[in-house]
Amino acid sequence: MNLRKVTAASAVALTLALTATACGGDSDSGSGSGGGGKVTIGIKVDQPGLGQETPDGYKGFDIDVAKYVAKQLGYGESDITWKEAPSKERENLLRRGDVDFIVATYSITDQRKEKVSFAGPYFLAHQDLLIRTKDNIKSGDDLNKKKLCSVTGSTSAQNVKKKFAPDAQLQEYGGYSECLSGLESGAVDALTTDDSILAGYAAQQQYQGKFKLAGLNLSDEHYGIGIKKGDTELQGKINAALKKMVDDGSWEKAVKANFGPANYDFEPAPQITEQG
């Protein structure tokens, strides 16, 4: 995958190539080889503080990271095409070339690295529980026999069942908003995912005073930027961009801007480990 800006000469060649193939299929996705000076980035659109669609555009820490990386790769904000990347579809989006890279609370795991590659990590979160303010869950054991909600394709709920609460009744929904509705109505007893995501929801105006974090560090989640399997060239460029973001202070500024209202006690920027 080549994510460099297209020069004037190559833009002409690209235009001719696209014209020649226009009748043979969809050639305007903008992903893959750079797409004529465009870049397609996979994101979440329903995670306050991280990646959320708002009337003013996409907002959140992951969005800020994606914009910074894209700029370092030679793309302005107007060159970015945003594409929703649900948890269960992230590997498929990269495999098919529907996106150039993914910045979407994408935890680096050995299982996922069998299908895709990562740059980073760029953030360290911990798995936790979101519960109703009146409830009290002090450990994973307290979840046994209770209804636990998570999003289809996420590793969070499976981690809880495997390591902490094998008798928890797992409820998997398509999005976090459904889990939040279930938690508010009493249909489920807890929502589990990363504390960074939960903090964003708890800080929303409509949920303030209703929910709280249980305060359990059930796992370490290293967020990486997902790329196509084996693309070491892009991996190196993104790693360099992430390092610069930390070194020039932009990383910490973005964390505080997006998580500050939730009083989220964030970890320092992690060391980059994904190489070659």
Side-chain angles (χ1 to χ4, degrees):
M1 183 182 302
N2 183 359
L3 290 179
R4 292 175 298 178
K5 284 277 192 175
V6 179
T7 64
S10 60
V12 174
L14 180 61
T15 300
L16 291 173
L18 290 175
T19 301
T21 59
C23 296
D26 184 6
S27 301
D28 60 356
S29 67
S31 60
S33 63
K38 301 292 184 179
V39 62
T40 302
I41 305 176
I43 56 171
K44 291 293 180 66
V45 300
D46 64 345
Q47 294 180 345
L50 286 152
Q52 184 180 30
E53 186 175 11
T54 76
D56 299 319
Y58 296 104
K59 305 290 184 181
F61 176 69
D62 279 354
I63 305 301
D64 290 344
V65 170
K67 288 179 179 178
Y68 190 98
V69 169
K71 183 177 180 180
Q72 297 305 307
L73 294 175
Y75 299 95
E77 288 190 29
S78 62
D79 299 322
I80 299 173
T81 297
W82 302 107
K83 187 175 183 65
E84 183 178 5
S87 294
K88 64 180 180 179
E89 286 296 316
R90 289 178 295 202
E91 286 82 17
N92 290 331
L93 289 170
L94 289 167
R95 176 180 54 80
R96 293 193 303 258
D98 293 342
V99 296
D100 292 306
F101 57 88
I102 292 177
V103 190
T105 58
Y106 203 177
S107 295
I108 300 170
T109 68
D110 290 338
Q111 183 180 15
R112 286 171 176 162
K113 287 202 290 184
E114 293 177 0
K115 300 178 180 179
V116 301
S117 294
F118 288 95
Y122 64 92
F123 194 80
L124 174 58
H126 302 286
Q127 187 179 347
D128 200 354
L129 305 174
L130 191 68
I131 58 178
R132 290 178 288 272
T133 303
K134 62 183 179 63
D135 294 338
N136 194 17
I137 295 178
K138 296 182 178 180
S139 70
D141 284 341
D142 293 339
L143 278 173
N144 282 314
K145 308 299 184 183
K146 293 187 181 294
K147 295 178 180 178
L148 174 65
C149 189
S150 191
V151 172
T152 304
S154 171
T155 59
S156 300
Q158 287 82 359
N159 183 55
V160 170
K161 281 185 67 69
K162 181 178 179 181
K163 297 181 179 179
F164 304 103
D167 294 327
Q169 300 174 33
L170 179 58
Q171 306 284 325
E172 289 187 302
Y173 294 160
Y176 290 104
S177 58
E178 297 173 65
C179 282
L180 286 162
S181 297
L183 186 61
E184 187 173 19
S185 68
V188 298
D189 299 302
L191 162 60
T192 185
T193 188
D194 304 344
D195 53 6
S196 56
I197 299 172
L198 298 177
Y201 284 122
Q204 285 191 294
Q205 186 174 0
Q206 66 265 41
Y207 297 129
Q208 287 178 5
K210 295 181 179 180
F211 304 143
K212 65 181 180 181
L213 273 70
L216 309 179
N217 285 351
L218 299 176
S219 71
D220 292 336
E221 305 294 334
H222 293 85
Y223 293 167
I225 294 181
I227 57 178
K228 194 170 184 178
K229 179 73 173 177
D231 193 342
T232 55
E233 181 182 0
L234 180 58
Q235 182 186 59
K237 292 178 179 179
I238 293 179
N239 280 341
L242 293 174
K243 184 178 186 301
K244 184 176 180 181
M245 187 177 188
V246 174
D247 290 345
D248 69 15
S250 298
W251 183 90
E252 185 171 356
K253 181 179 179 181
V255 173
K256 291 180 177 178
N258 290 289
F259 296 126
N263 296 316
Y264 176 53
D265 188 16
F266 62 91
E267 299 274 6
Q271 292 295 315
I272 291 175
T273 59
E274 300 303 302
Q275 310 275 354

